[in-house]
């Protein structure tokens, strides 16, 4: 189970956590060391006691002499075989020595045990243990193990004397264990000394903890003060990047320097951004995910008629009257994530409505998380008014050119008619009337043709939409055009050419006009190439290319103007009519020409016809 200190500590300050963590880190080794010292002390104490007791046993063994018990029993009267008398005789011989050894080592009991007699011979000090002389040890007594194995043994337990540490030494004579010597000491005395060692270890451990706590407390207090300086400095920087954190020493000083450097860089970047926003002529407004305004530049203040300090934190809709209909690309981007680019919208402002180009996008943080949206607004009301004026001027200029063209085209036939009438007014010959009458009629027909083309150009009919096979249409118009010239006409079609929705008759008129113009522009032996292909999934392109004389660069911008023509007999309404037809279908017509190389005209027509959309 994982220990969570934060749940155990009511005060979750850095200093408290440092103190608790440091104490745990310090206390654990100190406790382990104290425990190890206690165990080592106890083990050393027992080893020392065993060494002392075995030393006493070896002294007693040496005192017994090489002859052992038999040598001491040799002076018994001959014929004496009484066990009790033998034990008493050995006791008289050995008791003075065991008592002297016991007196020299207070608290220690020593004695001899004779295996043949199976009895305690002596147990010193005799004044305390004389009553044990002559007794036999129990069958499970460790002394019997010592006599059986011939190996010394130290054992703790309750024996004849009581709870003791007993060191037993075998008496080996002529390779045989004839008994054993013991030297023992009360366990209570040993435990008292061990307890003293334990107490010393505990005192040393606690002393170490107290010293460690004092040192840790001093260090943590200093570290806590320095960390508090950083924390308070960061809190100030949150509101004012111009107030750096006071310098500190060591590693924390390096951290403070890095924080101050980052704050300075952030301040510089913020100042740069503010300067950029302030200098941008377009209005910029940013909002957070809840639609509340987070940034407004001076241009936006002027556009909305507000002050940034009054609107920061308010909703974007609060910039408008409560009853105003707001079609906001900013709020749409915020809700859907869809980006708007140069979208024209109406922005209500007081008693007027401004025409605005709006571009909106999503704002994201460094991790790519959406944090709001921003919109850039450009007031194009004045520009649109100027464009209307320019377009009006262009229309007036075009009307002037159209009027001049009409006057020029009509004046020539009228002049001829007037001349013929004046001549015939003075002429009385019927033959001359018959000769000049057809000329006058041809001039009138020319006037009628010009007026008819002018009416067709000025009053176009809406296209009659139907399904048109582009390949069949091109082949049919190429066949008709071949009858008007000996020029070579080549056709090229892309496989699987789709049908389109269009006015077939209008397209025939436009295509025939283009092919005839191309034929008229090439010298004898030239080639006109007509091709059709699918440009994409939505458009078909029909191209008419010739290798004729081409169009001069200065005339390229005029070829689709009414009454502009480089042909002596042309009215200049053919290409203008073609342009009108392509526009009515929602298509695009382009012309590319180089003098002496040829001309290429391309009609790009939509496959599916769409009605023109009118945006209020």
């Amino acid at each position: 189970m994982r220990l969570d200190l934060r749940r155990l500590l009511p005060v979750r300050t850095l200093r408290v956590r440092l103190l608790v963590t440091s104490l745990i880190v310090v206390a654990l080794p100190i406790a382990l060391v104290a425990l190890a010292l206690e165990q080592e002390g106890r083990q050393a104490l027992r080893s020392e006691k065993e060494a002392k007791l075995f030393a006493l046993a070896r002294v007693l063994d040496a005192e017994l002499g090489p002859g052992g018990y038999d040598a001491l029993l040799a002076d018994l009267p001959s014929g004496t075989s009484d066990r009790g008398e033998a034990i008493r005789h050995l006791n008289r011989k050995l008791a003075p020595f065991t008592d002297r050894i016991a007196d020299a080592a207070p608290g220690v009991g020593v004695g001899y045990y004779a295996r043949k007699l199976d009895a305690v011979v002596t147990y010193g000090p005799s004044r305390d243990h004389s009553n044990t002389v002559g007794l036999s040890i129990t069958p499970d007594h460790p002394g019997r193990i010592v006599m059986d194995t011939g190996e010394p043994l130290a054992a703790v337990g309750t024996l004849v004397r009581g709870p003791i540490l007993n060191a037993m030494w075998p008496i080996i004579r002529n390779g045989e264990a004839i008994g054993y010597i013991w030297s023992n000491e009360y366990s209570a005395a040993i435990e008292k000394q061990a307890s003293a060692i334990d107490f010393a270890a505990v005192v040393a451990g606690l002393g170490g903890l107290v010293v460690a706590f004092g040192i840790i407390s001093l260090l943590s207090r200093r570290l806590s003060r320095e960390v508090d300086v950083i924390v308070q400095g960061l809190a100030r920087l949150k509101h004012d990047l111009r107030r750096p954190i006071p310098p500190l020493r060591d590693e924390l000083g390096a951290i403070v320097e890095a924080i101050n450097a980052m704050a300075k860089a952030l301040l510089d970047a913020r100042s740069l951004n503010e300067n950029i926003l302030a200098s941008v002529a377009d209005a910029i407004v940013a909002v957070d995910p809840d639609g509340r305004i987070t940034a407004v530049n001076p241009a936006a203040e002027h556009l909305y008629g507000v002050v940034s300090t009054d609107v920061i934190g308010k909703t974007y809709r609060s910039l408008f009257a409560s009853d105003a209909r707001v079609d906001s690309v900013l709020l749409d981007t915020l809700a859907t994530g869809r980006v708007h680019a140069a979208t024209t919208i109406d922005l209500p402002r007081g008693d007027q409505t401004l025409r605005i180009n709006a571009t909106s996008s999503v704002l994201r943080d460094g991790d790519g998380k959406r944090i709001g949206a921003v919109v850039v607004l450009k007031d194009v009301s004045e520009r649109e008014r100027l464009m209307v004026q320019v377009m009006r001027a262009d229309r007036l200029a075009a009307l002037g050119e159209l009027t001049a063209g009409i006057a020029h085209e009509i004046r020539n036939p009228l002049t001829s008619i007037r001349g013929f009438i004046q001549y015939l007014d003075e002429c009385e010959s019927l033959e001359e009337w018959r000769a000049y009458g057809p000329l006058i009629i041809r001039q009138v027909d020319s006037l009628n043709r010009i007026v008819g083309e002018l009416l067709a150009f000025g009053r176009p009919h809406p296209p009659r939409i139907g399904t048109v096979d582009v390949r069949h249409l091109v082949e049919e118009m190429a066949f008709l055009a071949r009858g008007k010239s000996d020029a070579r006409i080549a056709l090229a079609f892309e496989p699987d050419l789709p049908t389109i929705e269009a006015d077939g008759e209008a397209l025939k008129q436009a295509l025939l006009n283009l092919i005839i113009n191309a034929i008229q522009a090439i010298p004898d032996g030239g080639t006109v190439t007509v091709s059709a292909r699918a440009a994409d999934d939505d458009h078909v392109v029909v191209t008419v290319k010739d290798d004729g004389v081409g169009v001069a660069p200065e005339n390229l911008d005029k070829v689709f103007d009414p009454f502009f023509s480089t042909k002596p007999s042309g009215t200049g309404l053919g290409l203008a009519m073609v342009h009108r037809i392509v526009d009515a279908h929602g298509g695009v017509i382009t012309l590319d020409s180089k003098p002496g190389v040829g001309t290429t005209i391309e009609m790009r027509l939509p496959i599916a016809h769409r009605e023109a959309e009118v945006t209020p």
Side-chain angles (χ1 to χ4, degrees), residues 280-285 297 299-301 303-304 375-378:
V280 172
D282 297 338
I284 300 176
V285 180
N297 73 336
E301 294 181 32
L303 180 65
Y304 290 100
V375 65
V376 180
L377 306 169
K378 178 186 287 292

Side-chain angles (χ1 to χ4, degrees), residues 551-578:
V551 180
E554 62 272 15
N555 294 331
L556 286 176
D557 294 337
K558 305 175 184 178
V559 292
F560 294 112
D561 292 345
F563 296 105
F564 175 79
S565 177
T566 58
K567 295 179 289 185
S569 60
T571 62
L573 293 175
L575 287 181
M577 185 65 69
V578 172

Side-chain angles (χ1 to χ4, degrees), residues 205-533:
L206 291 176
L209 284 176
V210 171
V211 173
F213 180 80
I215 296 173
I216 293 171
S217 179
L218 292 175
L219 294 178
S220 64
R221 182 178 302 170
R222 174 188 170 188
L223 180 60
S224 179
R225 284 199 302 265
E226 293 180 344
V227 171
D228 286 341
V229 170
I230 297 177
V231 171
Q232 295 170 6
L234 289 173
R236 291 193 301 269
L237 286 175
K238 183 178 180 181
H239 303 285
D240 186 2
L241 293 174
R242 294 176 177 83
R243 297 179 63 185
I245 302 175
L248 297 174
R249 298 176 297 177
D250 305 326
E251 288 81 359
L252 289 180
I255 294 175
V256 168
E257 290 179 2
I259 293 174
N260 288 336
M262 287 189 290
K264 179 64 168 56
L266 182 59
L267 178 62
D268 293 343
R270 180 181 295 178
S271 300
L272 178 61
N273 290 337
E274 290 174 353
N275 290 335
I276 292 174
L277 289 176
S279 62
V280 172
D282 297 338
I284 300 176
V285 180
V287 296
D288 63 13
D290 297 325
R292 298 187 179 276
I293 299 171
T294 57
V296 178
N297 73 336
E301 294 181 32
H302 176 72
L303 180 65
Y304 290 100
V306 296
V307 179
S308 62
T309 54
D310 295 337
V311 298
I312 295 296
K314 295 184 178 179
T315 61
Y316 179 69
R317 289 189 177 274
S318 66
L319 298 178
F320 308 94
S322 57
D323 58 345
R325 180 181 178 276
V326 180
D327 184 16
S328 172
V329 297
L330 175 63
L331 296 180
D332 180 70
T333 297
L334 185 65
T336 65
R338 184 170 56 246
V339 175
H340 296 272
T343 302
T344 302
I345 61 173
D346 293 330
L347 181 69
R349 181 182 173 188
D351 56 352
Q352 62 177 335
T353 299
L354 303 178
R355 294 290 287 175
I356 302 294
N357 268 2
T359 299
S360 62
S361 60
V362 177
L363 290 177
R364 301 185 185 276
D365 60 14
D367 296 328
K369 180 182 178 182
R370 185 186 300 183
I371 59 173
V374 63
V375 65
V376 180
L377 306 169
K378 178 186 287 292
D379 185 358
V380 295
S381 302
E382 185 64 26
R383 188 183 71 182
E384 288 198 355
R385 284 193 291 270
L386 292 176
M387 289 179 63
V388 169
Q389 294 179 4
V390 171
M391 291 174 64
R392 184 180 297 115
D394 288 343
R395 285 197 297 268
L396 291 173
L399 181 59
E401 292 180 4
L402 177 62
T403 304
I406 294 173
H408 175 75
E409 293 296 330
I410 293 178
R411 180 180 295 170
N412 290 335
L414 287 177
T415 301
S416 299
I417 293 172
R418 184 176 184 278
F420 289 135
I421 294 298
Q422 285 179 341
Y423 178 78
L424 293 175
D425 184 47
E426 299 174 358
C427 180
E428 298 179 356
S429 172
L430 184 60
E431 295 297 327
E432 290 187 359
W433 274 91
R434 290 174 177 173
Y436 288 106
L439 295 177
I440 295 173
I441 292 174
R442 284 198 298 271
Q443 295 299 322
V444 172
D445 289 342
S446 177
L447 285 174
N448 186 56
R449 178 174 58 84
I450 292 171
V451 172
E453 291 184 0
L454 185 60
L455 289 174
F457 177 76
R459 290 187 300 181
H461 296 286
R464 297 177 178 85
I465 302 302
T467 301
V468 176
D469 186 336
V470 178
R471 181 188 182 105
H472 178 72
L473 185 144
V474 171
E475 289 175 342
E476 182 180 351
M477 292 304 99
F479 177 77
L480 291 178
R482 284 194 185 97
K484 300 179 180 293
S485 172
D486 295 332
R488 178 175 176 269
I489 300 178
L491 302 180
F493 300 104
E494 185 181 71
D496 300 327
L497 192 65
T499 59
I500 66 174
E501 296 176 359
D503 186 338
E505 294 302 319
L507 288 184
K508 287 179 181 180
Q509 179 184 353
L511 183 57
L512 182 61
N513 203 333
L514 292 179
I515 296 175
I516 291 175
N517 280 353
I519 290 173
Q520 293 174 352
I522 60 176
D524 294 338
T527 301
V528 175
T529 303
V530 185
S531 61
R533 61 182 175 85

Side-chain angles (χ1 to χ4, degrees), residues 14 49 55 82 88 100 108 115 138 199 202 225 259 289 294 358 369 382 391 488 493 519 521 548 574 581 587 608:
L14 176 63
K49 291 296 184 181
D82 183 69
R88 287 190 293 273
R100 192 166 58 251
V108 174
R115 188 175 189 180
T138 60
F199 178 76
V202 171
R225 284 199 302 265
I259 293 174
T294 57
K369 180 182 178 182
E382 185 64 26
M391 291 174 64
R488 178 175 176 269
F493 300 104
I519 290 173
I581 292 171

